[in-house]
Amino acid sequence: MTVSSFAELGLTDRLLRALADAQYDTPTPIQSQAIPLLLDDADLLGIAQTGTGKTAAFTLPLLQNLEEDAAEGVRAEPRGARALILAPTRELALQISESIKTYARHMRISQAVVIGGVSQRPQVNALRQGVDILIATPGRLLDLASQRLVDLSWCDYLIIDEADRMFDMGFIRDVRKIVKMLPEDRQTLLFSATMPAEVAKLAGEILDEPERVEIAAKTVAVERIEQYIHHLSGGDKRERLAGLLEGSEFAKVIVFTRTKRGADKVVKFLATDKVVAEAMHGNKSQGARQRALENFRSGKARVLVATDIVARGLDVDNVTHVINYELPNEPECYIHRIGRTARAGAEGIAISFCDPTERTMLRDIERLIKRPLDLVGDGPVGPDEKPAKRGGGNRGQGGRRSGGANNDNGNKRPASANRKRRRTRRPERRAA
Ligand code: AMP
């Protein structure tokens, strides 16, 4: 179904006003498909990556359902939450929390964020009276649950975001443990950019006759982003990066490395070139990561150097370029990385460096996106030489000033009146 306005999706005036404030004119495909289903209490399997508008797709109906529940007198219990959103990383959890603030600005909705790396005390305090929405990463949530500081047995809505990344980060067991703490009679949504077997298995276990909405990840990234490849030796990467960053069009740049050490090294050498860059990776404290992100968002730092895990789901507006200083081991990561540019309809440019040791990674990426990247300058260098046969590399992107050389819990639901029986409501709604 394609609809041209949020009003047609059945959202309340309060939500419509918030969307108008945020200058959202038209629902994205995942929003127009998922919102009516979710207002109808369906379970949902959403195959979509960040950048498709999936956060609003699950948050808007959740807010509306919570408001209806509140009107019927259903409220959060002490230490409890009416809805739980699980996210793999702290950054994503904080970002979801910010989105909720935006969409719920004309409503009375309470929320708490439970993430690791920071003191648990404010989180415990926030939960004491109970909240409408709890956004959490699995580790800290299990930690609080084991201390009996959070009670999930009253939670009627469960949203698992970026399930494939949960799996990559080794959280699937934790997620299963958490799901057991919720009542079986609930609305469950699972979002994942890809569907590895483990995630499909989890979805099969926890979703009840789910509706399925799939937004092709590849089209989101690939169609709107100009993608270039520079073949060079590992030793030349540094100079090439510095050369590119001399261009004023490189106004807001995310540079990706495979490792934390690699990220620190890039920040260091850029500093010698007087380029203000921030590193963001898993070894940094939560405070340092947030500061890095803020400096980048505000423009104090022109460059953010990041590893894959923390960067997934990063939402910064107007990123002009993504530079893959090192190619990712997993080709899917390439799509997630380049998705940081071209957010919400904007155009973007992605430039990848490939040294002779990364040739196989490049081949896997090109196989996944089903096309070769546009070649800038010379073809592959080094031992595994192959002819430069691709064209189109110099469309005012990374070729210019490119370093000189190229110009280029138990599951029984508690018997309390203060819970919503979601499933009993569902058939009525469907019949309506
Ligand atoms: P997400 O996929 O949820 O990370 O959203 C990606 C970005 O798109 C965020 O910056 C949202 O604020 C923005 N966004 C989501 N839905 C819309 C919409 N319908 N119109 C304009 N921007 C949107």
Side-chain angles (χ1 to χ4, degrees):
M1 176 176 62
T2 310
V3 293
S4 55
S5 82
F6 282 103
E8 285 174 70
L9 297 174
L11 295 171
T12 61
D13 281 349
R14 276 193 275 269
L15 288 168
L16 294 177
R17 267 196 286 144
L19 291 168
D21 297 344
Q23 296 182 318
Y24 289 13
D25 300 328
T26 317
T28 65
I30 194 166
Q31 291 163 1
S32 56
Q33 290 175 52
I35 289 173
L37 298 169
L38 297 174
L39 288 173
D40 201 22
D41 288 345
D43 277 12
L44 182 85
L45 176 60
I47 303 174
Q49 67 170 138
T50 311
T52 53
K54 70 181 159 75
T55 315
F58 66 71
T59 305
L60 295 167
L62 173 65
L63 291 170
Q64 187 155 325
N65 287 337
L66 286 172
E67 197 172 54
E68 280 178 22
D69 295 349
E72 292 173 25
V74 184
R75 300 205 192 288
E77 295 286 316
R79 293 181 294 118
R82 300 274 308 119
L84 171 65
I85 303 175
L86 281 178
T89 63
R90 310 162 201 178
E91 281 74 21
L92 183 60
L94 290 168
Q95 231 163 253
I96 294 170
S97 165
E98 284 305 313
S99 297
I100 292 173
K101 278 185 204 149
T102 303
Y103 307 139
R105 58 182 299 206
H106 301 298
M107 303 168 80
R108 288 180 61 187
I109 291 283
S110 57
Q111 59 157 316
V113 178
V114 160
I115 51 179
V118 290
S119 158
Q120 77 167 42
R121 190 172 304 163
Q123 302 176 357
V124 172
N125 288 342
L127 281 170
R128 194 155 286 146
Q129 302 301 319
V131 291
D132 292 315
I133 305 177
L134 171 60
I135 307 132
T137 50
R140 175 60 67 88
L141 182 61
L142 273 181
D143 200 357
L144 295 192
S146 69
Q147 300 173 62
R148 300 193 180 279
L149 295 168
V150 59
D151 175 4
L152 297 174
S153 57
W154 304 89
C155 198
D156 279 337
Y157 305 86
L158 169 65
I159 297 162
I160 300 177
D161 200 7
E162 300 203 343
D164 49 352
R165 176 69 15 170
M166 299 268 192
F167 170 61
D168 290 346
M169 294 173 77
F171 288 157
I172 286 281
R173 281 185 56 191
D174 287 355
V175 171
R176 279 206 171 81
K177 279 190 205 158
I178 291 167
V179 174
K180 289 208 176 92
M181 296 175 185
L182 272 78
E184 274 179 7
D185 184 12
R186 57 170 196 261
Q187 185 182 32
T188 311
L189 284 56
L190 184 142
F191 288 89
S192 197
T194 57
M195 212 24 81
E198 266 302 307
V199 174
K201 188 164 166 254
L202 177 73
E205 289 163 18
I206 67 171
L207 298 173
D208 179 11
E209 298 174 30
E211 302 281 352
R212 184 185 167 107
V213 172
E214 182 162 3
I215 305 296
K218 286 149 212 174
T219 56
V220 175
V222 170
E223 282 171 8
R224 291 199 314 260
I225 303 173
E226 294 176 39
Q227 299 165 66
Y228 302 96
I229 186 82
H230 292 231
H231 284 281
L232 70 186
S233 73
D236 288 341
K237 287 187 175 184
R238 204 172 145 154
E239 199 189 339
R240 184 71 57 94
L241 177 64
L244 289 175
L245 291 176
E246 277 174 27
S248 58
E249 69 272 30
F250 286 73
K252 209 168 205 167
V253 183
I254 305 183
V255 175
F256 282 98
T257 60
R258 278 193 298 273
T259 63
K260 301 166 196 167
R261 256 189 80 220
D264 286 335
K265 266 163 108 177
V266 170
V267 168
K268 242 187 199 156
F269 83 67
L270 287 178
T272 61
D273 242 24
K274 303 218 168 14
V275 175
V276 184
E278 290 277 3
M280 200 162 136
H281 55 62
N283 277 2
K284 302 248 167 193
S285 71
Q286 180 58 21
R289 279 155 68 165
Q290 277 311 114
R291 260 194 316 278
L293 194 55
E294 270 323 302
N295 284 342
F296 182 59
R297 277 210 170 105
S298 69
K300 265 191 211 153
R302 182 156 67 103
V303 179
L304 183 73
V305 186
T307 55
D308 288 296
I309 284 188
V310 288
R312 176 89 169 248
L314 256 187
D315 182 17
V316 179
D317 288 339
N318 305 320
V319 171
T320 56
H321 295 76
V322 163
I323 299 181
N324 293 310
Y325 190 80
E326 293 165 337
L327 290 179
N329 288 320
E330 306 265 345
E332 284 82 8
C333 282
Y334 174 82
I335 291 174
H336 295 304
R337 286 179 175 192
I338 69 170
R340 302 315 95 209
T341 177
R343 313 280 299 163
E347 302 272 304
I349 296 172
I351 297 166
S352 301
F353 293 172
C354 179
D355 69 32
T357 64
E358 295 174 301
R359 222 61 72 61
T360 327
M361 300 176 199
L362 176 61
R363 250 171 251 154
D364 289 347
I365 289 167
E366 293 183 333
R367 198 169 295 147
L368 179 70
I369 65 170
K370 298 195 176 73
R371 75 169 179 85
L373 304 185
D374 288 337
L375 182 66
V376 176
D378 300 327
V381 292
D384 186 18
E385 202 82 37
K386 58 178 185 185
K389 57 179 185 308
R390 301 168 199 145
N394 275 329
R395 303 202 307 251
Q397 40 60 56
R400 213 171 74 78
R401 296 188 229 188
S402 47
N406 287 294
N407 259 341
D408 27 354
N409 111 7
N411 354 338
K412 294 236 166 54
R413 54 184 296 135
S416 161
N418 203 13
R419 298 210 57 245
K420 188 81 202 165
R421 301 195 68 90
R422 301 217 58 82
R423 291 297 177 178
T424 51
R425 191 160 80 170
R426 188 171 161 186
E428 290 161 29
R429 286 212 182 188
R430 289 221 161 129

